[in-house]
Amino acid sequence: ATTTLDVRTIEPLYRHAQIFARLAEMGVGDSLILQVDHDPKPLRAQLEAKEGDAVSWTYLEQGPAQWQVQVTRHRSRGQCCGSCGG
């Protein structure tokens, strides 16, 4: 399933918390499209640190007035990706 979250309507202080809450609810194969008013580079860094390669990040639109990013869950956080043979 793909859902869209327009974070421009969320107070900046609470944006990342709400995004991560949505990501925690996502199943494998689900996507979340984020609509934001700036390039969300800090969010991407935080997401990569927390989720690693369990999710992917794809820019759908890159400004200048609006950015859209699609975050897709490929596996559960902490689930082995299989590359180590474990």
Side-chain angles (χ1 to χ4, degrees):
T2 299
T3 58
T4 300
L5 178 61
D6 186 347
V7 299
R8 298 170 297 182
T9 63
I10 302 169
E11 188 174 336
L13 179 63
Y14 303 109
R15 287 181 180 179
H16 286 203
Q18 288 200 23
I19 291 166
F20 279 101
R22 291 277 185 104
L23 291 172
E25 297 170 355
M26 288 172 46
V28 174
D30 290 347
S31 293
L32 177 63
I33 296 176
L34 303 172
Q35 296 177 329
V36 295
D37 55 6
H38 63 281
D39 188 351
K41 288 182 199 178
L43 174 65
R44 184 176 191 175
Q46 188 178 9
L47 180 66
E48 289 174 350
K50 184 173 183 168
E51 296 282 345
D53 62 355
V55 298
S56 63
W57 176 281
T58 305
Y59 282 100
L60 303 176
E61 184 177 350
Q62 291 182 278
Q66 174 178 285
W67 277 257
Q68 284 194 64
V69 175
Q70 182 173 354
V71 180
T72 303
R73 178 161 300 284
H74 299 290
R75 59 185 171 78
S76 298
R77 185 170 177 248
Q79 179 184 5
C80 180
C81 68
S83 66
C84 66

